[in-house]
Amino acid sequence: GGIILKAHVDQDLCISCGLCISTCEDVFHWNDDEKAEAIEEEVSAELEDSVREAIENCPTEAIQEV
């Protein structure tokens, strides 16, 4: 198997721009604080590319691969 990817959004850095959610709404969603949040589960292989795109494009670098 390939690399298992999990994403984490740093709530202190997130500015609620919504880019990650529009890039990969299967993984990222709005939480109760209206900030982006990533699913707890590991990301499936077919979503990996879009998650990496979201990580790279985040304007505040709030998303980390964990």
Side-chain angles (χ1 to χ4, degrees), residues 3-66:
I3 298 163
I4 300 295
L5 174 69
K6 280 182 82 173
H8 172 74
V9 180
D10 186 324
Q11 298 296 295
D12 295 330
L13 293 175
C14 178
I15 56 169
S16 309
C17 76
L19 190 69
C20 60
I21 294 171
S22 60
T23 301
C24 190
E25 59 188 13
D26 289 328
V27 173
F28 301 100
H29 58 258
W30 297 114
N31 65 16
D32 293 339
D33 295 326
E34 293 183 12
K35 292 193 172 192
E37 194 173 67
I39 58 168
E40 295 293 317
E41 299 90 56
E42 290 158 345
V43 175
S44 59
E46 63 265 21
L47 295 174
E48 199 176 307
D49 286 346
S50 56
V51 170
R52 287 190 196 282
E53 187 183 325
I55 290 171
E56 284 164 24
N57 291 334
C58 177
T60 59
E61 298 183 352
I63 310 168
Q64 290 107 26
E65 201 179 306
V66 288

